[in-house]
Amino acid sequence: MLIIVIDALLSFLLYANIVYYRFFNDFITLPVLTQSKNFGELGGSTQALMKPYDVLFFIDTLVLIGLVLFKVVKPHTDRLNVRAILTVFVSAIMIFIVNLSLAEADRPQLLSRTFDRNYLVKYLGAYNYTIYDIIQNTRSSSAQRALADSSDLTDVENYTKSNYADPNPAYFGKYKGMNVIYISLESLQDFVINFKMPDGQEVTPFLNSLTMGANNTVYFNNFFHQTGQGKTSDAEFMMENSLFPLPQGSVFTMKAQNTFEASPAILSSRGYETAAFHGNNKTFWNRDEMYKSLGYERFFDSKYYDMSPANTKNYGMKDKPFFKESIPYLTKLKQPFYSKLILLSNHFPFGMDKQDTTFPVGDYGDSVVNNYFQSANYMDQAVKQFFGDLKKQGLLDHTIVVMYGDHYGISENHNSAMEKVIGKPIDAFENAQLQRVPLFFHHIPKVKGAAHPAYGTNSIYGGDVDVRPTVLNLLGINTKDYIQFGTDLFSKQHRQIIPFRNGDVITNQYTITDGNVFSNKTGKPVDKSLGKPYEVIGKKELDLSDKVVYGDLLRFYKPKRFCIL
Ligand code: GP9
Ligand code: MN
């Protein structure tokens, strides 16, 4: 009897997921279950989503009931054999472990990163995924969120207000009413910028021209990614919230139900149309859920692109067709618009289809590093093509284009090849320095006698969390009342302190990494006490930001200048 009930419940769970997937193209998660609006949306159409042959999903239960009813098998009354039960259990666990290790080998950190539910279900199976989802959600949310109240915000508010940097009047509001386009340059690290292959070819000639100020661009060459396990999604999170990512997992997958005060919401409350573009399945990094919480009105995911084999590799769209096919959607948005395009093809392991490139591969004795140059060159060509198209559409002159490398592309595992690339040994100092990613602001208005050069390379130190206040100030939106951990990169009071999730801190003077302090100028260790004050600031900021995210504290925060739609 018990077996029949369990079997029926499992079949029901499986079937619920199938019906849900047919509509949402996604699997059920605990927060989705508790937020009935999703099911409400599904409600009317549930019947349409069911097919007559679905009854086959319950065939096992029906057969079991039939067997008992027609007395083909009789219920067991004698004692169960403990040994037999144990053997079944132990073998099940062993098979599970083997399966999990195979899955881990294929998708490293599958469980800790939770980057895509499709992958989790594929590798774990629907039942194990459900258990995983329940553990993940109860662990990450309940206690801290339930215990939090509005008074917890006081500490945070006091800190962020004291950290506020006045906007630079020369830049403030210079972009008022202009469109915004963010471009996430997948895995692009700063070392490739202005890098030449042994034959003298530049890897990123178009981006290099921007570093010299072409297209009225400012390029930051001391800008660092601050991402954690959530990689691309962490970078997106920081860019739009000016909060830090979590110590483990991704805010996108773990905290999508939180209240946020992100730039899409801020701008859509000021008349902007907001849209995100990404040539991958919308469930990846839980973007479909998270983008709603960030205030996006539209999300053009893989469904909107021609995903035929020639256009795709690895996770999804190649950058050139992705940009090309995004243009018609972009131009149909009501102006001013706030949008972001997440690139994808310059992703680990970077191998390219022959027909897409004539650029040479590197010769550094490591295929990942060798392929990286070719793939980064392709992305550079794609960005150039996109700028050309924006110009053709008459958009370039009244659009601010913010481009950033989302995180490292070459991990520490490839440092021996990287030593050949950069031509010096990579110690802890150099390793931390390699976490630079390029940041570009296209079309900065020319300001005579400004503190920073109007176009070209800017050597101010900064990190992901600094971008939001910078952009909002350029648009003429004062950020004083927002909870934010970054400061405007153009502000004269901008603080050049960059905390990282692994405990490192980089300032314009020092690199604090692995418990040692190095001088940026010499690359040599200096007295550890010199780093202490920055380590303290770094830890404090990360702790406060975690408090906001884990406690979902922004649900209590109603600043004057923020209006939720
Ligand atoms: C997936 C893309 C890549 O949609 O954003 O994710 P990553 O592995 O770079 O975090
Ligand atoms: Mn990425």
Side-chain angles (χ1 to χ4, degrees), residues 113 184-187 230-233 235 285 287 342-344 346-347 406-408:
R113 295 180 65 207
S184 165
L185 303 166
E186 177 58 46
S187 300
K231 307 287 287 295
T232 313
S233 72
W285 286 128
R287 289 185 172 100
I342 312 286
L343 295 183
L344 196 50
N346 188 42
H347 195 282
D406 61 349
H407 48 74
Y408 65 81

Short mmCIF file of all heavy atoms in Angstrom, two decimals, residues 113 184-187 230-233 235 285 287 342-344 346-347 406-408, ligand 2:
data_model
loop_
_atom_site.label_atom_id
_atom_site.label_comp_id
_atom_site.label_asym_id
_atom_site.label_seq_id
_atom_site.Cartn_x
_atom_site.Cartn_y
_atom_site.Cartn_z
N ARG A 113 27.16 25.86 -7.53
CA ARG A 113 26.87 27.06 -8.33
C ARG A 113 25.42 27.13 -8.79
O ARG A 113 24.92 28.20 -9.09
CB ARG A 113 27.78 27.11 -9.57
CG ARG A 113 29.24 27.26 -9.25
CD ARG A 113 30.07 27.31 -10.51
NE ARG A 113 29.77 28.49 -11.30
CZ ARG A 113 29.91 28.53 -12.62
NH1 ARG A 113 30.30 27.48 -13.27
NH2 ARG A 113 29.65 29.64 -13.27
N SER A 184 27.86 42.95 -21.71
CA SER A 184 28.71 42.11 -20.89
C SER A 184 29.67 41.37 -21.83
O SER A 184 29.25 40.56 -22.65
CB SER A 184 27.84 41.11 -20.11
OG SER A 184 28.62 40.08 -19.58
N LEU A 185 30.95 41.73 -21.74
CA LEU A 185 31.96 41.11 -22.61
C LEU A 185 32.42 39.83 -21.93
O LEU A 185 33.21 39.85 -20.98
CB LEU A 185 33.15 42.06 -22.78
CG LEU A 185 32.82 43.46 -23.34
CD1 LEU A 185 34.00 44.41 -23.15
CD2 LEU A 185 32.44 43.38 -24.81
N GLU A 186 31.88 38.72 -22.41
CA GLU A 186 32.12 37.45 -21.73
C GLU A 186 33.62 37.16 -21.56
O GLU A 186 34.39 37.23 -22.53
CB GLU A 186 31.43 36.32 -22.52
CG GLU A 186 31.65 34.92 -21.97
CD GLU A 186 31.18 34.74 -20.53
OE1 GLU A 186 30.07 35.19 -20.20
OE2 GLU A 186 31.95 34.16 -19.74
N SER A 187 34.01 36.87 -20.33
CA SER A 187 35.36 36.39 -19.98
C SER A 187 36.50 37.28 -20.47
O SER A 187 37.62 36.81 -20.61
CB SER A 187 35.61 34.98 -20.55
OG SER A 187 34.68 34.08 -20.02
N GLY A 230 28.95 33.07 -8.71
CA GLY A 230 27.87 33.35 -9.67
C GLY A 230 28.33 33.95 -10.99
O GLY A 230 27.52 34.30 -11.85
N LYS A 231 29.66 34.10 -11.17
CA LYS A 231 30.26 34.55 -12.43
C LYS A 231 29.45 35.63 -13.16
O LYS A 231 29.23 36.70 -12.64
CB LYS A 231 30.50 33.34 -13.35
CG LYS A 231 31.27 32.22 -12.73
CD LYS A 231 32.74 32.51 -12.55
CE LYS A 231 33.55 32.50 -13.80
NZ LYS A 231 33.65 31.22 -14.49
N THR A 232 29.01 35.33 -14.41
CA THR A 232 28.29 36.34 -15.20
C THR A 232 27.17 36.98 -14.40
O THR A 232 26.97 38.20 -14.44
CB THR A 232 27.65 35.72 -16.46
OG1 THR A 232 28.59 34.90 -17.10
CG2 THR A 232 27.16 36.80 -17.41
N SER A 233 26.44 36.14 -13.68
CA SER A 233 25.26 36.65 -12.97
C SER A 233 25.69 37.57 -11.82
O SER A 233 25.00 38.55 -11.51
CB SER A 233 24.39 35.50 -12.46
OG SER A 233 25.00 34.84 -11.38
N ALA A 235 28.31 39.51 -11.88
CA ALA A 235 28.68 40.78 -12.50
C ALA A 235 27.41 41.57 -12.82
O ALA A 235 27.31 42.76 -12.53
CB ALA A 235 29.50 40.54 -13.76
N TRP A 285 21.14 30.70 -15.00
CA TRP A 285 21.30 31.64 -13.88
C TRP A 285 19.96 32.16 -13.38
O TRP A 285 19.90 33.23 -12.78
CB TRP A 285 22.21 32.82 -14.24
CG TRP A 285 23.67 32.49 -14.31
CD1 TRP A 285 24.53 32.77 -15.35
CD2 TRP A 285 24.48 31.85 -13.32
NE1 TRP A 285 25.78 32.32 -15.06
CE2 TRP A 285 25.79 31.76 -13.83
CE3 TRP A 285 24.21 31.32 -12.04
CZ2 TRP A 285 26.84 31.17 -13.11
CZ3 TRP A 285 25.24 30.74 -11.33
CH2 TRP A 285 26.53 30.68 -11.87
N ARG A 287 17.71 33.61 -14.78
CA ARG A 287 17.48 34.99 -15.23
C ARG A 287 15.99 35.30 -15.37
O ARG A 287 15.56 36.42 -15.10
CB ARG A 287 18.19 35.24 -16.56
CG ARG A 287 19.70 35.31 -16.44
CD ARG A 287 20.32 35.69 -17.77
NE ARG A 287 21.73 35.95 -17.64
CZ ARG A 287 22.71 35.08 -17.96
NH1 ARG A 287 22.41 33.90 -18.45
NH2 ARG A 287 23.97 35.41 -17.80
N ILE A 342 23.99 40.43 -23.13
CA ILE A 342 24.97 39.55 -22.50
C ILE A 342 25.61 38.67 -23.58
O ILE A 342 24.94 37.81 -24.15
CB ILE A 342 24.31 38.63 -21.44
CG1 ILE A 342 23.39 39.42 -20.52
CG2 ILE A 342 25.33 37.82 -20.67
CD1 ILE A 342 24.07 40.26 -19.51
N LEU A 343 26.89 38.91 -23.84
CA LEU A 343 27.58 38.11 -24.87
C LEU A 343 27.91 36.72 -24.32
O LEU A 343 27.90 36.50 -23.11
CB LEU A 343 28.86 38.82 -25.31
CG LEU A 343 28.66 40.16 -26.02
CD1 LEU A 343 30.00 40.71 -26.49
CD2 LEU A 343 27.72 40.01 -27.21
N LEU A 344 28.24 35.83 -25.23
CA LEU A 344 28.34 34.44 -24.80
C LEU A 344 29.48 33.65 -25.45
O LEU A 344 30.02 32.74 -24.84
CB LEU A 344 27.00 33.76 -25.13
CG LEU A 344 26.68 32.44 -24.49
CD1 LEU A 344 26.91 32.50 -22.99
CD2 LEU A 344 25.24 32.06 -24.76
N ASN A 346 32.60 34.12 -26.24
CA ASN A 346 33.97 34.05 -25.70
C ASN A 346 33.95 33.38 -24.33
O ASN A 346 34.34 33.95 -23.32
CB ASN A 346 34.57 35.46 -25.59
CG ASN A 346 36.04 35.43 -25.22
OD1 ASN A 346 36.79 34.62 -25.75
ND2 ASN A 346 36.45 36.28 -24.29
N HIS A 347 33.48 32.18 -24.30
CA HIS A 347 33.35 31.45 -23.03
C HIS A 347 34.29 30.26 -23.03
O HIS A 347 34.54 29.66 -24.08
CB HIS A 347 31.89 30.99 -22.86
CG HIS A 347 31.56 30.56 -21.46
ND1 HIS A 347 31.93 29.33 -20.96
CD2 HIS A 347 30.92 31.20 -20.47
CE1 HIS A 347 31.51 29.24 -19.71
NE2 HIS A 347 30.90 30.35 -19.38
N ASP A 406 33.13 40.50 -17.82
CA ASP A 406 32.34 40.08 -16.66
C ASP A 406 33.16 39.41 -15.56
O ASP A 406 32.86 39.56 -14.38
CB ASP A 406 31.13 39.23 -17.08
CG ASP A 406 31.50 37.94 -17.80
OD1 ASP A 406 32.68 37.77 -18.16
OD2 ASP A 406 30.60 37.10 -17.99
N HIS A 407 34.20 38.66 -15.95
CA HIS A 407 35.04 37.96 -14.95
C HIS A 407 36.24 37.39 -15.68
O HIS A 407 36.32 37.50 -16.90
CB HIS A 407 34.26 36.85 -14.24
CG HIS A 407 33.51 35.96 -15.20
ND1 HIS A 407 34.14 35.03 -15.98
CD2 HIS A 407 32.20 35.91 -15.54
CE1 HIS A 407 33.26 34.43 -16.75
NE2 HIS A 407 32.05 34.95 -16.52
N TYR A 408 37.13 36.72 -14.97
CA TYR A 408 38.30 36.16 -15.65
C TYR A 408 37.85 35.10 -16.65
O TYR A 408 36.79 34.49 -16.50
CB TYR A 408 39.29 35.54 -14.65
CG TYR A 408 38.76 34.34 -13.91
CD1 TYR A 408 38.77 33.08 -14.52
CD2 TYR A 408 38.23 34.44 -12.63
CE1 TYR A 408 38.26 31.97 -13.88
CE2 TYR A 408 37.72 33.33 -11.97
CZ TYR A 408 37.73 32.11 -12.61
OH TYR A 408 37.23 31.00 -11.98
MN MN B 2 30.51 34.93 -17.99
#
